[in-house]
Amino acid sequence: MTLEMHGDQTFDMYNWPSNLGCAAPKAEYVEDVAWGDGRDFSGEWQLGPDGYEYSLSLFSDGGECPGSLSFEVWLVADDLVIQDWLGTDPEDDSASRLVELSR
């Protein structure tokens, strides 16, 4: 997958896994992610408000993945990494539910 973020707060996404917000059913665990079933779309990006700048939201123009997606951005070993928790159980914080989307 490739995320291109532009200075005018637009983005282009290539090969985004369909079951990470684009189509149901949604992946519950990392091993469920449909890496081979990618979608391309574009739109606008936005960081969270003051104090929550580590939140990244993508608002799609439609295309193959309409709607919005929200993620957390972490500093890991001097790299900015986009990660997302999968599933609906807030009590299950096992590593098998944390998917790394970029580095």
Side-chain angles (χ1 to χ4, degrees), residues 8-44:
D8 63 355
Q9 287 194 281
T10 61
F11 73 89
D12 293 300
M13 179 72 75
Y14 303 99
N15 207 27
W16 177 256
S18 63
N19 64 348
L20 288 181
C22 297
K26 294 183 176 158
E28 291 281 324
Y29 296 93
V30 173
E31 61 268 11
D32 298 333
V33 176
W35 295 110
D37 183 23
R39 312 289 179 165
D40 298 339
F41 58 100
S42 59
E44 296 183 7

Side-chain angles (χ1 to χ4, degrees), residues 6 15 19 21 32 50 57 60 68 72 79 83-87 97:
H6 310 288
N15 207 27
N19 64 348
D32 298 333
D50 287 345
S57 296
S60 173
S68 64
E72 304 300 321
D79 289 326
Q83 297 178 323
D84 191 27
W85 286 102
L86 303 176
R97 288 191 179 260

Side-chain angles (χ1 to χ4, degrees), residues 51-74:
Y52 296 93
E53 292 89 354
Y54 57 85
S55 294
L56 171 66
S57 296
L58 303 178
F59 302 95
S60 173
D61 290 338
E64 295 187 46
C65 190
S68 64
L69 303 167
S70 295
F71 311 100
E72 304 300 321
V73 181
W74 302 91

